[in-house]
Amino acid sequence: MLIWLLLFGAIALAVLSARNPLLVAAWWRVGRSRAGMASATLLIAFVVVGLLDSIHYRPRLEHPVGQGAAGSEEQPAAYAVEVLSLLDGILSSLRTRNEKTYSEPLATRAHAKESIEVRDANGQLRQSRDYPRLKYGGAHLGADEAQRHADIGERVLRATGIALLAWWALAATVAAVLARRAGCVQCEAWRRIWRNESDFAWNAVLVAVAGLLLLGAPVALLAVDYHVFGTDKVGQDVLYQVLKSVRTALVIGLVTTLVMLPLSILLGVIAGYFRGWVDDLIQYLYTTLSSIPGVLLIAAAVLMMQVVIDTHPQWFATAAERADLRLVALCFILGVTSWTGLCRLLRGETLKLRELEYIQAAQAFGVPDLRIIARHILPNLMHIVIIALVMDFSSLVLAEAVLSYVGIGVDPTMISFGTMINNARLELAREPVVWWSLAAAFVFMFTLVLAANLLADAVRDAFDPRLAGSA
């Protein structure tokens, strides 16, 4: 519910921004930023994966043969205990094709040697130490394992051709739409796109889409018969794990702001506008909270929450409910402990705004304080709120990884970047080294955080009045 509430809140913010000429101009400046639009395209791909993983259902169980027949009482519907998501349904092959243990990316055999039975030249079974064949990885090759490289190359070439055709169709559609709007030929529209002469950074969007297609299409085609990123200790596909980790990162980064923003805005504006004892009380509150080490405060809150969850197992019908409650509780804990910085910024800006002449004139005419705050103070604070919202996202994603690494993050049964890194910690001490699980989690988390930081820079440059004025 919180995830979809955030989605509808973003839509409402877009509608309200469309009615404000200043916000429209600021968002157009974001749209003209090539780095900002390229990173926004990557973030949209992550958000789509997260939303698909947020539509949950429990599969309906079939009645045993002989029950529910004609003339008998209709049996009530029964549902499985396991909770799945729409992403799980799409990736059902990755979710269910589990191997015995570790296997390298695109491998057809396990990572470690085992004692297996083989037939000698006389047809007798004997014990041998060798790398056993995987149950699913490269099983379509049969006994002809030598064709693995040729099969992988053929699939990559085929997927690249499909990606280029899809990108060309998208680019031609964009050029045709721009040519129709501008009243020019399509060649002229192409020239304007690639020279960045349009009002929107379409060239950055198309380049980012090309990168996604050229990387995603081969991975999708290879994942049909191979483990593209290998498997972990229990034989689970690492590609499936990193895709499932996206939702956890987005929930931590976005739902936490749903807790942090009301506290920051309410207390910061009240402290800066009313001043006096109210300002002193709020300053004492956030100064005291900031003086406590954040990791210790979060650890204490998470451990107390874990005690409550462990002593009330009857609250949860499934393990997924238990994991989601811990995730939501972690979001609330991070929100309650991270609102102080934005509150301090909003207090200082409100102190400056309330001294402006038009606000003092409104006070002199007897306009109620709440009306002044809603009509004059809050609209002039929104650029700070938007900048802080985007910039805090990446820090919260990294915070989840650190907390899960030290064991006080999300539930151990929930897949996240932090739990993947924590599980891969001991794998680095193996011989030979199991590196692919850590590398996959690092690459995906690095891409998500980098895209968020680049978008945050574009939003800051567009919404900060000083930077916008100098530009």
Side-chain angles (χ1 to χ4, degrees):
M1 290 176 60
L2 291 174
I3 293 172
W4 295 106
L5 179 61
L6 276 172
L7 179 62
F8 291 129
I11 296 173
L13 177 62
V15 173
L16 293 176
S17 299
R19 300 178 181 178
N20 190 324
L22 294 178
L23 290 179
V24 170
W27 282 116
W28 273 114
R29 287 195 292 270
V30 176
R32 285 191 291 268
S33 170
R34 285 178 288 182
M37 286 302 95
S39 59
T41 305
L42 294 177
L43 287 177
I44 289 174
F46 280 107
V47 169
V48 169
V49 173
L51 291 179
L52 289 176
D53 200 20
S54 299
I55 303 175
H56 291 167
Y57 65 94
R58 292 166 65 182
R60 183 171 180 171
L61 300 177
E62 298 293 336
H63 290 295
V65 178
Q67 293 188 11
S72 62
E73 289 188 11
E74 184 178 354
Q75 297 292 328
Y79 296 92
V81 175
E82 184 182 16
V83 177
L84 303 178
S85 68
L86 191 56
L87 184 67
D88 290 325
I90 296 173
L91 304 176
S92 59
S93 61
L94 296 182
R95 181 176 62 87
T96 57
R97 293 185 311 164
N98 291 339
E99 305 291 350
K100 186 177 180 180
T101 184
Y102 297 111
S103 65
E104 295 182 1
L106 300 173
T108 58
R109 291 184 175 269
H111 185 58
K113 288 185 177 182
E114 297 180 4
S115 296
I116 58 176
E117 291 184 344
V118 296
R119 291 188 181 274
D120 56 17
N122 298 324
Q124 300 294 324
L125 290 176
R126 60 181 181 84
Q127 293 288 332
S128 174
R129 294 283 296 177
D130 198 0
Y131 299 100
R133 279 294 299 271
L134 298 179
K135 185 177 181 181
Y136 299 102
H140 66 290
L141 298 174
D144 193 8
E145 292 184 69
Q147 296 298 318
R148 179 173 68 98
H149 296 290
D151 181 61
I152 292 174
E154 186 269 335
R155 289 174 183 242
V156 170
L157 289 177
R158 193 195 323 163
T160 302
I162 295 173
L164 290 176
L165 287 176
W167 179 84
W168 180 261
L170 176 63
T173 302
V174 171
V177 172
L178 292 181
R180 188 178 300 112
R181 287 183 179 179
C184 61
V185 296
Q186 194 164 347
C187 294
E188 179 65 20
W190 275 103
R191 187 187 65 81
R192 295 183 62 184
I193 288 174
W194 296 115
R195 292 186 180 183
N196 201 29
E197 296 176 356
S198 59
D199 294 333
F200 188 82
W202 284 111
N203 54 354
V205 173
L206 291 176
V207 169
V209 170
L212 288 174
L213 290 175
L214 290 175
L215 291 176
V219 168
L221 202 56
L222 288 170
V224 175
D225 292 305
Y226 295 95
H227 300 290
V228 181
F229 293 157
T231 56
D232 63 356
K233 184 177 182 179
V234 296
Q236 192 172 33
D237 194 280
V238 174
L239 175 60
Y240 172 75
Q241 292 183 356
V242 293
L243 291 177
K244 291 286 289 184
S245 300
V246 171
R247 173 182 178 264
T248 306
L250 292 177
V251 169
I252 290 290
L254 296 177
V255 175
T256 302
T257 61
L258 199 64
V259 181
M260 178 183 68
L261 283 182
L263 285 173
S264 301
I265 295 174
L266 177 64
L267 297 181
V269 171
I270 289 177
Y273 184 81
F274 292 103
R275 297 188 299 187
W277 66 270
V278 176
D279 186 20
D280 294 338
L281 178 63
I282 294 175
Q283 281 194 80
Y284 177 79
L285 177 62
Y286 68 64
T287 302
T288 303
L289 194 60
S290 299
S291 64
I292 304 175
V295 175
L296 295 180
L297 186 61
I298 294 171
V302 168
L303 293 176
M304 289 189 294
M305 171 201 66
Q306 189 61 40
V307 170
V308 174
I309 292 176
D310 291 340
T311 54
H312 298 85
Q314 68 277 9
W315 289 355
F316 316 102
T318 63
E321 291 183 8
R322 173 192 175 102
D324 273 349
L325 177 63
R326 177 162 174 170
L327 178 62
V328 172
L330 181 62
C331 292
F332 275 87
I333 293 170
L334 289 174
V336 170
T337 56
S338 60
W339 60 271
T340 55
L342 180 57
C343 179
R344 186 181 291 109
L345 288 175
L346 295 180
R347 171 188 170 272
E349 190 69 15
T350 304
L351 284 172
K352 182 179 70 175
L353 291 174
R354 77 180 306 276
E355 301 299 329
L356 297 180
E357 294 179 355
Y358 67 92
I359 292 182
Q360 292 184 351
Q363 292 173 339
F365 279 109
V367 179
D369 292 330
L370 291 180
R371 187 175 180 82
I372 293 175
I373 291 174
R375 293 291 300 274
H376 302 297
I377 300 293
L378 283 178
N380 288 286
L381 296 176
M382 289 311 296
H383 69 282
I384 297 179
V385 173
I386 293 174
I387 293 171
L389 175 67
V390 180
M391 297 189 70
D392 287 345
F393 172 82
S394 57
S395 62
L396 290 170
V397 172
L398 294 175
E400 182 276 327
V402 173
L403 293 175
S404 297
Y405 178 76
V406 298
I408 56 174
V410 299
D411 192 84
T413 61
M414 177 171 284
I415 303 174
S416 72
F417 293 127
T419 55
M420 288 187 66
I421 294 173
N422 186 33
N423 294 334
R425 175 168 50 94
L426 298 178
E427 297 173 357
L428 295 178
R430 289 176 54 92
E431 181 60 39
V433 175
V434 179
W435 52 268
W436 47 88
S437 182
L438 178 63
F442 171 78
V443 169
F444 271 71
M445 185 174 65
F446 173 78
T447 304
L448 177 60
V449 173
L450 179 63
N453 285 338
L454 291 176
L455 181 61
D457 289 340
V459 171
R460 181 197 61 195
D461 295 343
F463 280 84
D464 194 325
R466 293 167 297 179
L467 296 177
S470 63

